Amino acid sequence: MIVQRQMSVIAEELEQFRFALKQYVDTASSQDGCLHVSIQKISRESRFIIYEFWENNAWNSHLQTNYSKIFQRINVDCLKTPEHITTMLVPGNSCIL
């Protein structure tokens, strides 16, 4: 599964958000079923796009973890608008580079 998360951050909350994002990525990347996490910051904006690649249903389990819930709570205080999440299932024999 590929998960794309788009977040527009309040400028005054950028430092707190970056710290929370780093902790989230470090923890998520080390979880079973997580194949890769990548972040793109849109230049000149306080907008981030996170790409997460997960095996099977691991992402659904990941959402129930404490670190994921903590990151979601921080987002409530740091984001200008609600987070936009898009998911796409990938056939099982695909290879992610």
Side-chain angles (χ1 to χ4, degrees), residues 15-92:
E15 186 174 329
Q16 178 182 347
F17 176 80
R18 283 180 185 245
F19 179 77
L21 178 60
K22 181 179 180 344
Q23 288 184 315
Y24 172 80
V25 170
D26 288 347
T27 306
S29 299
S30 67
Q31 300 302 305
D32 288 338
C34 181
L35 302 172
H36 185 69
V37 179
S38 178
I39 302 168
Q40 178 183 16
K41 181 178 183 306
I42 307 302
S43 59
R44 297 190 190 141
E45 295 181 34
S46 297
R47 191 164 63 126
F48 295 79
I49 301 174
I50 304 170
Y51 298 94
E52 301 179 41
F53 300 84
W54 293 89
E55 288 182 314
N56 305 320
N57 291 323
W59 188 68
N60 294 327
S61 298
H62 149 78
L63 291 175
Q64 303 307 314
T65 62
N66 284 337
Y67 73 89
S68 180
K69 290 179 182 181
I70 289 169
F71 186 61
Q72 291 172 23
R73 277 187 234 121
I74 289 171
N75 287 347
V76 170
D77 295 332
C78 293
L79 299 184
K80 293 178 189 176
T81 59
E83 173 182 5
H84 179 74
I85 300 175
T86 306
T87 60
M88 182 174 74
L89 294 175
V90 180

